[in-house]
Amino acid sequence: MPATRDQIIDRLRTVNDPELHRDIVTLGMVKDVDIDGASVKVHVELTTPACPLKDTIERDVRNAVLPIDGVDGVTIEFSAQVQQSPQARAKLDNPLPGVKNIIAVGAGKGGVGKSTVSVNLAVGLAREGAHVGLLDGDIYGPSLPTMLGLGRGTPHTANNMIMPFEKAGIKAMTIGQLVEPDKPLIWRGPMAHGAFNQLAKQTEWGELDYLIIDLPPGTGDVPLTMSQILPLTGAVVVCTPQKVAQDDARRAIGMFRELQIGVLGVVENMSYFIGDDGKEYDIFGKGGAQQMADSMEVPFLGHIPINTALRRNSDAGDPSANFDDAQLGGELQNVVRNLAGQISVKALSGAAGQPTLTVS
Ligand code: ADP
């Protein structure tokens, strides 16, 4: 006799989302169960296409359903629906209602790889299937024109809105394409506020799952403006392993906390170097940023090695190529998925108080 839908749903109630510690039925992630004789198809909706736990959930669903009498095959079909952040939902007069999550990337000081991480987070999330935008909030030293290879083109405008550039699967905007390349960018406080405000709000972002904002280094006018005008899901702090870099990163974490922006995690950049001999060299002391993250009680999102191809691809404006390199691409994908996981945890831990059951 074939298994019944109720039997299968009952068994699926034993499958917990590993990060949320609630079962996938209660969380509303089971969208459909299809029984065709002894074959069962379960449709699971994830909260991000970059889910770090997809393989675990797939294995647990199979292990839960396969032992049921009358079942001899289980297929799991995944889809993904990124949730709008609680912050975006709560913001009155939200200037970017089509953007589900806004994530700022900051660092205590310049040169630690904040723009590199911003670009690769954006491109990595897009490669997983998300709709992603990248705003160059570093209005003093914009890196996006080079890192995305935007050339000399100026953006199109329509109905008083600026059309973003489309590169490497993402939408991007930067002040660097609106001013002459070698012109010094000197902004007094109110002008910095105005420039950031205009770039953020007057770009036609459309519908986005994630908007990544590359902040200027340190703690200045732009993060303050940003926290006032945009509903941030949270921030990522980039840090190199050395003690001096950690001290600056602690200040950046402190700044986000003062601005009431939750820290989604720390990325350790320039973590280690792999030589031509295949050996790993700890140039700056791998693990320093992770220890700092632990001591500040913020999640650690992963390590990015010192890698010549990463620098070359950044200079050449070809970030997608970073993901073709197995070792570098693997580390970047790990950071991308851990970030997406943290964003989902934030979104769902707010919603988990009101369980929904949407099995049709
Ligand atoms: P920031 O935004 O913090 O000032 P950038 O992202 O602009 O730093 O990086 C500074 C320079 O270091 C760039 O030339 C970039 O390509 C290079 N870089 C950053 N991270 C790495 C890395 N992990 N391996 C090699 N080069 C890197």
Side-chain angles (χ1 to χ4, degrees):
M1 215 173 63
T4 65
R5 175 182 298 266
D6 284 351
Q7 273 178 304
I8 293 164
I9 298 287
D10 267 355
R11 291 293 299 154
L12 290 173
R13 285 185 198 281
T14 65
V15 177
N16 274 351
D17 180 290
E19 279 182 324
L20 293 164
H21 312 295
R22 283 189 167 80
D23 76 86
I24 61 172
V25 177
T26 305
L27 286 169
M29 291 165 71
V30 178
K31 289 292 161 194
D32 200 8
V33 172
D34 190 39
I35 306 163
D36 182 8
S39 302
V40 173
K41 190 156 90 182
V42 182
H43 175 186
V44 177
E45 188 175 84
L46 303 168
T47 49
T48 171
C51 181
L53 299 162
K54 191 169 161 184
D55 293 345
T56 312
I57 293 173
E58 180 163 10
R59 185 199 62 207
D60 291 352
V61 167
R62 181 163 287 113
N63 289 344
V65 176
L66 208 49
I68 300 174
D69 273 348
V71 176
D72 70 8
V74 183
T75 22
I76 296 118
E77 187 185 271
F78 285 106
S79 60
Q81 181 73 36
V82 177
Q83 315 275 312
Q84 189 173 39
S85 71
Q87 293 83 355
R89 281 200 300 270
K91 174 96 174 160
L92 296 174
D93 300 326
N94 182 353
L96 303 179
V99 179
K100 292 178 176 168
N101 290 282
I102 305 177
I103 300 107
V105 180
K109 61 174 173 183
V112 297
K114 176 186 48 59
S115 299
T116 307
V117 171
S118 303
V119 168
N120 285 284
L121 280 176
V123 172
L125 285 165
R127 287 172 68 92
E128 299 275 1
H131 296 106
V132 186
L134 176 59
L135 171 61
D136 195 347
D138 193 346
I139 53 171
Y140 308 94
S143 302
L144 247 61
T146 300
M147 288 191 177
L148 285 178
L150 298 180
R152 299 297 292 259
T154 49
H156 298 290
T157 52
N159 301 325
N160 208 25
M161 294 294 280
I162 317 169
M163 297 298 139
F165 296 91
E166 305 217 3
K167 268 283 175 135
I170 63 171
K171 293 181 178 174
M173 185 45 64
T174 169
I175 194 96
Q177 296 299 114
L178 304 172
V179 294
E180 289 160 38
D182 298 327
K183 192 173 181 290
L185 293 168
I186 303 163
W187 307 100
R188 286 185 195 282
M191 285 165 71
H193 174 89
F196 179 83
N197 194 29
Q198 214 173 343
L199 275 184
K201 291 202 214 163
Q202 255 173 273
T203 298
E204 185 61 69
W205 295 110
E207 303 279 316
L208 294 180
D209 295 320
Y210 305 104
L211 174 63
I212 306 287
I213 301 181
D214 180 13
L215 287 176
T219 47
D221 292 310
V222 171
L224 189 60
T225 296
M226 178 188 71
S227 70
Q228 286 164 349
I229 63 170
L230 298 177
L232 272 280
T233 303
V236 170
V237 173
V238 181
C239 182
T240 51
Q242 311 92 310
K243 178 79 176 61
V244 280
Q246 291 174 36
D247 294 342
D248 288 322
R250 279 179 210 276
R251 271 189 281 280
I253 292 173
M255 171 191 76
F256 287 123
R257 287 182 170 159
E258 260 182 50
L259 295 174
Q260 315 272 317
I261 298 170
V263 177
L264 294 160
V266 168
V267 176
E268 181 171 286
N269 188 31
M270 308 193 193
S271 212
Y272 60 93
F273 173 75
I274 297 189
D276 290 340
D277 53 8
K279 277 199 206 143
E280 190 175 306
Y281 293 89
D282 279 356
I283 295 178
F284 296 138
K286 183 180 176 187
Q290 185 164 11
Q291 279 165 17
M292 185 275 297
D294 290 347
S295 73
M296 297 288 283
E297 297 183 345
V298 295
F300 181 69
L301 301 177
H303 308 270
I304 300 175
I306 298 175
N307 183 296
T308 341
L310 180 59
R311 200 270 310 144
R312 230 184 2 250
N313 295 333
S314 298
D315 282 352
D318 184 14
S320 299
N322 295 328
F323 293 83
D324 298 338
D325 176 305
Q327 200 256 341
L328 174 63
E331 295 279 34
L332 290 173
Q333 194 184 44
N334 181 47
V335 173
V336 165
R337 290 185 176 176
N338 284 337
L339 172 63
Q342 288 300 328
I343 295 168
S344 292
V345 168
K346 280 233 165 187
L348 270 181
S349 41
Q354 308 141 6
T356 49
L357 181 57
T358 49
V359 181
S360 50

